[in-house]
Amino acid sequence: MDKMIRTLIVDDELYSRDELKHLLQSFPSIQVVGEAESGETAVMKALQLHPDVVFLDVEMPKMNGMEAAKALMELRKSPLIVFATAYPQFAAEAFRYEAVDYLLKPYDENQLRETVLRIEKHFLMPAEQESGKQTGKLAVEGDGEIIYLDPKDILYISREEKYSKIITKTREYETRIPLKDLEMRLTAYSFFRIHKSYIVNLDYVIRLTPWFNGAYQLELEGRNEMLSVSRNYVKALRIQLEL
């Protein structure tokens, strides 16, 4: 996407701000325009910098993250909120503020990637949504030919050793394109990462079943196999499915 997403990082710990800023540098769409060490400063910086999204710590002195989020939502141009904290018990309250996501420290790079993808989807320009990115084909090279797949026909994609396996309604295809790159190409569609080795088309999900140690298994329409859902992705997946 062409738009740079203006981002404000709010945390009372310098180390945490530096860590998140470093991790966000790997995403070309994210532009960190400022930092704040308190809720009060976050509101002032938001008024000055007009960020598109705020990564907001919860536990801060004086004005905490929840209070800051409430103030940010009252701005004329309110930013998206991503809570980032070491305390999982605030998650339920966080989504009352229409948070895009709730990240736990220490940061998990896969979870952060999912968060950025959701932010990018939100800011995808209408022209992009109506362009070939939505109506075009996914080109897959193999055996000396190029196959053009309609993303809406893809059920899921898995990564096995050096190949990504694309499962459609009627066939399976192999490509050397990394799973991460396929995930980015399919941002405009209903695809979601559920495991380091799987992304699925949410339109075909029919059942989510608890497994063990917080993990789940997922069933897709027209398929007999069950796909593993890592516990790191369960919360975000359920939020996506229940929208």
Side-chain angles (χ1 to χ4, degrees):
M1 60 184 293
D2 295 329
K3 175 182 172 60
M4 294 293 290
I5 300 172
R6 296 172 59 81
T7 303
L8 176 66
I9 297 174
V10 184
D11 198 304
D12 61 332
E13 297 181 359
L14 176 60
Y15 172 80
S16 293
R17 297 200 304 272
D18 287 345
E19 180 189 14
L20 183 55
K21 183 165 62 174
H22 172 73
L23 292 172
L24 289 173
Q25 286 176 352
S26 63
F27 301 98
S29 63
I30 298 294
Q31 178 187 18
V32 177
V33 295
E35 301 176 35
E37 71 284 351
S38 68
E40 298 96 325
T41 307
V43 177
M44 289 189 293
K45 288 286 184 74
L47 287 167
Q48 296 167 357
L49 301 172
H50 306 291
D52 299 306
V53 60
V54 175
F55 283 80
L56 185 60
D57 188 21
V58 175
E59 287 288 277
M60 295 185 291
K62 296 182 180 180
M63 178 184 282
N64 64 32
M66 298 300 174
E67 294 167 335
K70 183 177 181 181
L72 290 169
M73 289 180 66
E74 293 173 355
L75 297 180
R76 186 170 62 86
K77 183 189 175 186
S78 59
L80 297 182
I81 301 294
V82 176
F83 286 103
T85 177
Y87 302 94
Q89 64 267 29
F90 297 110
E93 183 179 358
F95 288 105
R96 295 177 187 172
Y97 296 96
E98 301 178 7
V100 175
D101 212 341
Y102 190 93
L103 294 173
L104 288 178
K105 302 174 186 177
Y107 297 113
D108 179 275
E109 293 185 30
N110 288 326
Q111 285 186 306
L112 183 59
R113 185 180 302 112
E114 292 293 342
T115 298
V116 172
L117 284 170
R118 295 176 70 184
I119 293 169
E120 289 175 341
K121 284 183 180 180
H122 180 90
F123 288 108
L124 196 64
M125 300 302 290
E128 290 181 75
Q129 293 176 339
E130 295 170 4
S131 70
K133 193 169 186 180
Q134 281 251 348
T135 59
K137 306 288 186 178
L138 178 68
V140 177
E141 296 185 36
D143 297 327
E145 61 181 359
I146 302 176
I147 305 296
Y148 294 94
L149 303 177
D150 187 338
K152 295 176 183 176
D153 291 334
I154 298 172
L155 303 182
Y156 73 93
I157 306 175
S158 64
R159 186 69 180 179
E160 299 179 7
E161 297 182 352
K162 297 181 180 180
Y163 292 90
S164 295
K165 183 178 290 187
I166 301 174
I167 312 299
T168 71
K169 296 177 180 179
T170 57
R171 284 189 57 185
E172 298 182 6
Y173 302 87
E174 285 189 347
T175 176
R176 288 186 177 272
I177 302 172
L179 195 63
K180 177 182 177 181
D181 291 352
L182 289 168
E183 183 180 17
M184 293 300 295
R185 294 186 191 186
L186 294 167
T187 297
Y189 298 87
S190 299
F191 285 85
F192 194 84
R193 183 181 287 270
I194 62 169
H195 187 276
K196 66 179 181 180
S197 301
Y198 297 113
I199 57 174
V200 303
N201 189 335
L202 297 180
D203 291 339
Y204 295 101
V205 174
I206 58 175
R207 185 174 291 110
L208 190 61
T209 307
W211 199 17
F212 67 92
N213 290 336
Y216 278 68
Q217 287 191 317
L218 181 142
E219 184 178 349
L220 295 173
E221 180 182 327
R223 302 296 299 186
N224 294 322
E225 68 270 29
M226 302 290 284
L227 304 183
S228 297
V229 183
S230 298
R231 61 182 180 179
N232 290 338
Y233 297 103
V234 170
K235 176 178 66 70
L237 173 63
R238 294 186 65 175
I239 291 169
Q240 287 291 308
L241 291 173
E242 294 168 10
L243 288 177

